Amino acid sequence: MIELGILGVSAFLLLIITVWKRRSPSVVRELPALVRLYRAIGLSVEDGTRLHISLGHGGLLNARGGSALAGLAALRLISERTSVSDQPPVASAGDPTLGLLTQDTLQAGYQAAGVEELYVPTSGRVTGFGPFGFAAGAMPITSNENISANILLGHFGAEVGLLTEASERENVTVIGASDDLAGQSILFASSQDSLIGEELFASGAYIGAGPSHMASLTVQDVLRWVIVLVLFAGAFLKFAGMI
Amino acid sequence: MRVLTAIIAIAVGVLVLLGYFFPALPYVQDIQALLLNWAMLMIAAAAIVGVLNLVFVHADKIRRREKGNLYSAILIIFLFGTFLLGLILPPGHEIMRLILNGVIFPVEAALMGILTITLLYAAVRLLRRRADFTTIVFLVTAALVLFGSATLPFGENIPVFSGLATWIREVLAAGGARGILIGVSLGTLLTGLRVLFGIDRPYGGN
C-alpha cells in the first residue's frame, strides 16, 4: 500500500503542478551539459551538420525503461527542431523495441514540424544487440555521417567509453547521461560536461518539452525532500532506540 | 488515430498496474498476464524488425558506396550465414558453439580490453579538460581504490590502501550510489506517470 500511496501522491502532484506551471512558467537552474545540448541543436541546423541521438540498449519491460522513455521524450523535441535541417538527425538504439519506438518518435517529430515527407526510416537504427554489439554498431556513425554532437540519453554501461572515444577522435561534442552507475562514471571522465543521476530526466524540461516536464522536476524535488526527512527520522528513531 | 493509440496505451498501463496493486480483484491478474504475454510476443516480433532494420541500413550503405561499406558487406554476409546455419543445424551444435565461443566472446573480450586503455587515457585527459575540485576527488578516489584492489607480487594487498579502498567502496561509494539511484528511481517514476497520463507519447502521437 505504501507503493500505491507514493504513486497516488506523485500523480496528484504532477497534475496539480503541471496546471500551475502552465499559468506561471518557472526558471530552472543552469546545467552546463543541458545548455550545451540546447546550443548543439541550434548549431547543427545553422552549420549543416547532423546530430546523433543514442538511446542506449535498455529494454522497455524492465527497470531501465524509464531512462529510455526520457531519451525518447528528448528525441521527439530534437527531431522536431532539426528535421528541416539539410542534415536531419540520426538516432540509434541497442534494443529492438526501443529501435521501433525511435523510428516512430522521429517520424512524429517530422510530422509536428510539417515535413513528414522528409522522414527517412533508416535514420532510426538498431545498431546491434547487447552492450558491445550496440556500441560497435554506433561508433562508425560518428566518423562517417558528418556528426557535430553525440547526444547519449538512456541506459549505457561501461561500453559508453567506446562511443565517447570515437567522438573524441572526430572532435565531436558528447552530451551524455545514463541511469547506470558505471556508465555515469565513464561519462563523467570522458565527456566535456556530464549529467549525474536524475539529471538525465531533466533534459526534456531544459529543451522546452513543456510544463509537464517542469512539473516533473518540481515533484522529484518534493519527493527527494520527503525521502531525506524520512531517512533522518529513521536514523533518529534508531538512535533513540525506538525502532 | 492518435487519440485511439493514446487510449489503448493508457488503458493497458492502468490494467497492468491494477494487477500489481489489487491482485485479489477478479480477472485483473489474468488480464495482466495476458497483456504481458502479448508484450513478450511483440518484443519477439520487434527483434525480427530490428534485424531487418540493421540489414536495410547496411544494404543502403553498400548501395550508396559510403565510407566503411566493406564492413557493412561483411556484416550482412555473416548475419545471413549464421542465420542459415541456425536454421539447418540443431541447437547446441558444435559449429554454432564455435561461432559463439570462437567469434562473439573473443570480439567482446577484445572490445573490453580496448575499453580499459580508453578509460585510462580518458582519466589522464580529464585533468586537462576540467581541472576542478570534483575531478581531483574523482581521480584520487579511483587511484586509492585501484591501489587497494591491486595485489603485490608475493600475493597480498597493499596493507593501508586495502582497508581504505574497502571503506571507500562500502561507506562513501555505497552511500553516494544509493543517493544517485534514489534520484534515478524518482525520475523513472515521474517519466512513467507522464506516459501513463498520455502527456508523453513515445508511440508516435504529438
Side-chain angles (χ1 to χ4, degrees):
Chain A
M1 277 299 117
I2 293 172
E3 297 95 329
L4 188 61
I6 293 170
L7 192 71
V9 169
S10 307
F12 176 73
L13 286 174
L14 180 67
L15 291 176
I16 294 289
I17 297 173
T18 301
V19 174
W20 172 45
K21 296 280 179 191
R22 244 179 220 151
R23 288 183 188 162
S24 55
S26 55
V27 180
V28 285
R29 75 186 164 93
E30 192 171 284
L31 285 177
L34 292 176
V35 172
R36 195 184 281 270
L37 168 63
Y38 195 78
R39 280 195 202 132
I41 293 170
L43 273 175
S44 81
V45 177
E46 281 174 24
D47 65 7
T49 52
R50 205 186 282 271
L51 293 178
H52 171 215
I53 304 107
S54 191
L55 303 183
H57 57 88
L60 289 168
L61 277 192
N62 50 37
R64 304 169 207 153
S67 60
L69 290 171
L72 283 168
L75 173 65
R76 165 73 175 70
L77 279 163
I78 294 169
S79 73
E80 186 181 335
R81 302 227 173 125
T82 55
S83 53
V84 288
S85 156
D86 295 339
Q87 300 273 334
V90 57
S92 63
D95 176 81
T97 39
L98 190 56
L100 272 180
L101 288 182
T102 300
Q103 290 178 344
D104 213 19
T105 304
L106 271 173
Q107 194 172 14
Y110 277 73
Q111 260 176 8
V115 287
E116 201 185 348
E117 68 280 0
L118 296 180
Y119 170 70
V120 183
T122 49
S123 56
R125 299 171 192 176
V126 179
T127 55
F129 299 92
F132 283 103
F134 154 70
M139 279 163 69
I141 295 175
T142 306
S143 52
N144 295 347
E145 305 205 20
N146 192 23
I147 302 292
S148 59
N150 266 326
I151 300 161
L152 315 170
L153 298 171
H155 178 77
F156 298 91
E159 75 288 345
V160 77
L162 297 171
L163 293 175
T164 54
E165 172 58 19
S167 308
E168 187 77 32
R169 272 204 305 273
E170 300 295 326
N171 205 19
V172 167
T173 306
V174 179
I175 298 147
S178 171
D179 61 349
D180 181 82
L181 290 171
Q184 281 180 34
S185 56
I186 289 169
L187 281 168
F188 178 82
S190 55
S191 63
Q192 287 88 346
D193 301 297
S194 62
L195 293 163
I196 303 291
E198 72 277 13
E199 288 171 357
L200 160 69
F201 300 92
S203 53
Y206 278 78
I207 55 174
S212 64
H213 284 251
M214 288 285 191
S216 290
L217 293 187
T218 310
V219 178
Q220 280 177 57
D221 285 342
V222 171
L223 292 176
R224 195 180 299 112
W225 276 110
V226 171
I227 289 169
V228 168
L229 290 175
V230 168
L231 285 174
F232 272 114
F236 176 76
L237 290 175
K238 184 82 179 169
F239 182 71
M242 294 163 81
I243 53 171
Chain B
M1 191 64 185
R2 283 177 199 149
V3 177
L4 186 68
T5 50
I7 290 170
I8 292 170
I10 292 166
V12 168
V14 169
L15 283 170
V16 171
L17 270 181
L18 278 177
Y20 280 117
F21 290 123
F22 304 105
L25 283 178
Y27 305 117
V28 166
Q29 281 214 312
D30 295 335
I31 295 170
Q32 185 198 36
L34 179 75
L35 290 170
L36 289 177
N37 283 339
W38 284 359
M40 294 295 174
L41 285 173
M42 283 177 170
I43 286 174
I48 298 168
V49 177
V51 171
L52 288 176
N53 175 273
L54 194 73
V55 172
F56 286 139
V57 168
H58 286 279
D60 203 40
K61 277 180 92 169
I62 297 167
R63 192 173 56 79
R64 289 166 188 253
R65 294 179 185 276
E66 280 180 24
K67 192 175 156 190
N69 61 10
L70 177 67
Y71 300 115
S72 298
I74 292 170
L75 183 138
I76 289 178
I77 290 166
F78 278 90
L79 194 148
F80 279 111
T82 314
F83 178 69
L84 281 176
L85 283 174
L87 285 181
I88 297 162
L89 301 171
H93 191 273
E94 195 146 332
I95 294 176
M96 294 308 289
R97 269 191 293 156
L98 186 75
I99 290 171
L100 199 71
N101 296 331
V103 181
I104 297 173
F105 288 157
V107 167
E108 291 206 345
L111 282 171
M112 190 63 112
I114 293 169
L115 188 63
T116 313
I117 305 299
T118 302
L119 290 181
L120 192 67
Y121 185 48
V124 173
R125 271 187 321 214
L126 184 60
L127 268 179
R128 208 173 50 193
R129 188 187 299 132
R130 201 174 47 210
D132 56 13
F133 178 69
T134 325
T135 300
I136 292 164
V137 170
F138 180 81
L139 288 176
V140 168
T141 310
L144 285 175
V145 172
L146 266 179
F147 285 132
S149 313
T151 45
L152 292 168
F154 37 88
E156 280 186 24
N157 291 103
I158 307 169
V160 181
F161 285 113
S162 175
L164 193 61
T166 308
W167 182 76
I168 289 171
R169 268 199 303 269
E170 291 177 3
V171 179
L172 296 182
R178 279 178 200 149
I180 289 173
L181 290 176
I182 287 172
V184 169
S185 307
L186 291 178
T188 304
L189 170 71
L190 269 299
T191 306
L193 281 174
R194 282 203 311 271
V195 174
L196 193 64
F197 289 143
I199 301 168
D200 282 0
R201 296 180 197 173
Y203 35 87
N206 285 315

